[in-house]
Amino acid sequence: MSSNSNNGLKANSVGFLPLLGQAIAMISPLGAVAATMTGSASIALGSLPLAYLIAIFAVLFWINTPYQYSKKIASAGGFYSYNTEGAGTYYGSVSGYILFFSYYMTYTNAILFITGVFIPGLFSIFFGITLNAYIWVPLLIVFGLIILLPAYLGVEGSTKYSFASSIIQIALLIILSVAIIVIKGPANTLEPFTPKPAGGFGPVFVGMILAIFSMSGSSAVVALGEEAKQPKRNIRNALLISFLITGAVFVLTSYALTIGWGLNNMANFAKTGTGLAYGNGVPGIIVALKYLGMPMAIAMMIFAVNSLYTGSLAPLNSAGRMLYAMARDGIAPKVFSKVHGKRKTPHIALIFIAVSGIMVSLAAGLIMTPFFGFLYLVTASAVALFIGHIMTDVSLPIAFKKFREFSVAKHAILPAISIVLLLIGIYYSFFPPSYPTNIAIISAVIFMIAVTIALNLYLKRRGINSEVNVKGSSTTE
């Protein structure tokens, strides 16, 4: 069944720039500086720029797999479709649910972080106001529903908005970074690009894993395969260019914030704010206030919130299309395969993800407190993302042998290196586990085991051939 049918998604509706916006929005540059970069700084310390520089080369191996697949397959299923075409229905379905879980948890952790951690941190540090302990609850509900609106109305508008927002975010980060570098003058040094401030390469590599995670989101753009114009060219270009742009900006920003905050004071970077939860995301805005004054700090505040907004919208769009594709292929409840008659969006899937995601976020925040709830959700998302990418790396050589275009370098060596990096990432990110990451790991593993068993029983009962191709996808010969 083609996506061009009246009952399918709207084909040829998203050009290159909106696709680039979707890819960058999933990375969420200002949001990543607020959340992931502060975490990386707490480990890599003054060697933070080195961690990001190494991460750029590591992510090249990471994105090689979706880059190669996007040359051949364009589908709303994204990684689910890649793995199904490559290694069969059962393998693809398991990986699809695992990566759907990752995108779903990305949406939930993003809305909890911004309403329960980031906004209260801003009010406390900049305005001296301690918000009511539960004010984040109605904020989260409203914020989650506001995110749903553009996703429901259509991918064209939401991706164009993401592109415009991403340009402004990147411009702000470049302006701030260049200003700090110029102001510091003779204090600029290459020492942050050495392991010395971190005390060795060990902390640098652990910080690098978090840096990799902050740059990995661009691959979610592959779920727009059926709605993109010239998808096999534009999606892979959006993948690569978004990564190169954000990678360069992250290295520049990490250096500027390091010398701006103080090379030997980076241990306090992620702990700023007495009485606030660890990692409130405010340090970068404090640096903006110090060097460029309140107007820049306010702009950073506004667009950091906006960055986290688009960083929530992007996984909602991707998860909705992945669930739609699996439902269309009979791997998820059929109701999720419905497309809005006018908007041509998978509206039922989007509503389900948004509403249930709000409830999950509320539960995590109320049970664990917003900050620890955020850590729980983001860790569960990361576990699933790493496992899903490993599964896709494994299927890549199988698929390209089927396509009779197998290359040892591109389809075997590069994905093998990616697998090693992902395994290292899993080890250093989650061991030794501590609360709430230990619970998150257990939750993610239980979900994956349950999905593996349930899909095996379901497919056997239905007698579905493991080699059946997914609907809506297309491959070049």
Side-chain angles (χ1 to χ4, degrees):
M1 181 176 67
S2 169
S3 60
N4 292 322
S5 69
N6 291 331
N7 296 321
L9 303 174
K10 187 177 179 181
N12 298 313
S13 60
V14 185
F16 170 71
L17 292 181
L19 288 171
L20 185 64
Q22 166 78 358
I24 295 177
M26 191 72 180
I27 296 171
S28 183
L30 262 174
V33 169
T36 319
M37 190 174 286
T38 54
S40 183
S42 70
I43 301 166
L45 302 177
S47 298
L48 180 66
L50 177 62
Y52 270 87
L53 185 62
I54 298 173
I56 286 179
F57 295 98
V59 176
L60 280 173
F61 297 110
W62 175 302
I63 68 169
N64 170 68
T65 294
Y67 183 86
Q68 297 299 328
Y69 261 126
S70 64
K71 295 177 181 178
K72 305 294 294 181
I73 300 169
S75 172
F79 285 91
Y80 152 69
S81 300
Y82 293 168
N83 287 318
T84 300
E85 293 280 3
T89 298
Y90 177 58
Y91 188 91
S93 300
V94 171
S95 70
Y97 271 99
I98 289 172
L99 282 159
F100 168 78
F101 179 82
S102 175
Y103 295 150
Y104 181 90
M105 288 303 210
T106 299
Y107 167 76
T108 60
N109 77 61
I111 61 176
L112 182 56
F113 178 79
I114 189 170
T115 56
V117 180
F118 188 70
I119 290 177
L122 289 178
F123 273 86
S124 179
I125 287 181
F126 286 94
F127 309 113
I129 300 173
T130 300
L131 297 178
N132 180 280
Y134 294 100
I135 190 65
W136 64 271
V137 173
L139 285 177
L140 188 148
I141 295 171
V142 171
F143 193 74
L145 294 176
I146 290 175
I147 292 169
L148 172 62
L149 183 61
Y152 180 90
L153 292 177
V155 72
E156 296 170 86
S158 63
T159 51
K160 287 178 181 177
Y161 176 79
S162 293
F163 175 72
S165 169
S166 298
I167 293 297
I168 296 172
Q169 291 175 51
I170 289 169
L172 286 173
L173 289 173
I174 292 173
I175 291 168
L176 174 64
S177 300
V178 171
I180 292 172
I181 291 170
V182 171
I183 292 169
K184 295 298 288 187
N188 284 286
T189 172
L190 292 177
E191 191 172 346
F193 292 98
T194 73
K196 181 181 176 181
F201 272 106
V204 172
F205 281 113
V206 179
M208 177 200 72
I209 297 304
L210 290 173
I212 289 174
F213 187 65
S214 69
M215 288 189 280
S216 64
S218 61
S219 57
V221 73
V222 301
L224 301 185
E226 292 177 34
E227 296 156 284
K229 298 175 182 177
Q230 298 180 305
K232 291 166 191 169
R233 183 185 71 179
N234 284 334
I235 285 181
R236 71 174 187 265
N237 287 343
L239 266 171
L240 184 60
I241 293 172
S242 64
F243 154 69
L244 292 174
I245 291 172
T246 53
V249 170
F250 281 149
V251 171
L252 176 68
T253 304
S254 63
Y255 172 76
L257 292 181
T258 299
I259 62 167
W261 188 268
L263 181 62
N264 299 317
N265 195 33
M266 289 300 286
N268 294 321
F269 185 79
K271 297 180 182 178
T272 300
T274 304
L276 289 175
Y278 177 83
N280 54 68
V282 176
I285 298 175
I286 292 175
V287 174
L289 177 64
K290 177 181 178 180
Y291 288 94
L292 292 180
M294 187 57 76
M296 185 61 168
I298 291 174
M300 291 282 286
M301 288 183 206
I302 293 171
F303 281 96
V305 172
N306 185 74
S307 176
L308 292 164
Y309 173 81
T310 56
S312 307
L313 175 60
L316 176 60
N317 270 328
S318 295
R321 279 148 183 81
M322 184 174 284
L323 183 58
Y324 157 80
M326 291 192 292
R328 182 179 59 190
D329 295 339
I331 307 301
K334 203 69 178 176
V335 66
F336 297 128
S337 67
K338 291 185 178 181
V339 173
H340 193 282
K342 180 180 179 181
R343 304 295 178 184
K344 296 299 179 182
T345 56
H347 59 303
I348 303 298
L350 291 169
I351 292 171
F352 167 76
I353 294 166
V355 174
S356 65
I358 288 171
M359 292 189 289
V360 168
S361 301
L362 288 172
L366 290 170
I367 294 170
M368 300 181 182
T369 75
F371 178 69
F372 284 111
F374 159 71
L375 283 184
Y376 167 80
L377 296 171
V378 76
T379 302
S381 173
V383 174
L385 180 68
F386 287 177
I387 297 299
H389 269 273
I390 287 173
M391 292 185 71
T392 313
D393 287 332
V394 170
S395 74
L396 183 69
I398 300 172
F400 274 81
K401 284 182 178 178
K402 289 182 179 179
F403 300 148
R404 297 183 181 179
E405 295 182 17
F406 178 74
S407 162
V408 173
K410 291 186 291 186
H411 307 131
I413 295 176
L414 293 182
I417 295 173
S418 173
I419 290 172
V420 172
L421 290 170
L422 288 163
L423 290 173
I424 293 172
I426 290 173
Y427 179 83
Y428 278 114
S429 297
F430 313 120
F431 294 99
S434 58
Y435 178 84
T437 59
N438 51 355
I439 302 174
I441 294 167
I442 293 170
S443 300
V445 170
I446 289 174
F447 174 83
M448 287 183 248
I449 292 173
V451 162
T452 301
I453 295 172
L455 282 171
N456 183 52
L457 295 174
Y458 174 76
L459 294 176
K460 281 185 176 179
R461 189 175 75 245
R462 292 193 59 190
I464 294 178
N465 187 333
S466 65
E467 297 299 326
V468 172
N469 285 343
V470 292
K471 299 174 182 177
S473 66
S474 56
T475 58
T476 55
E477 298 300 330

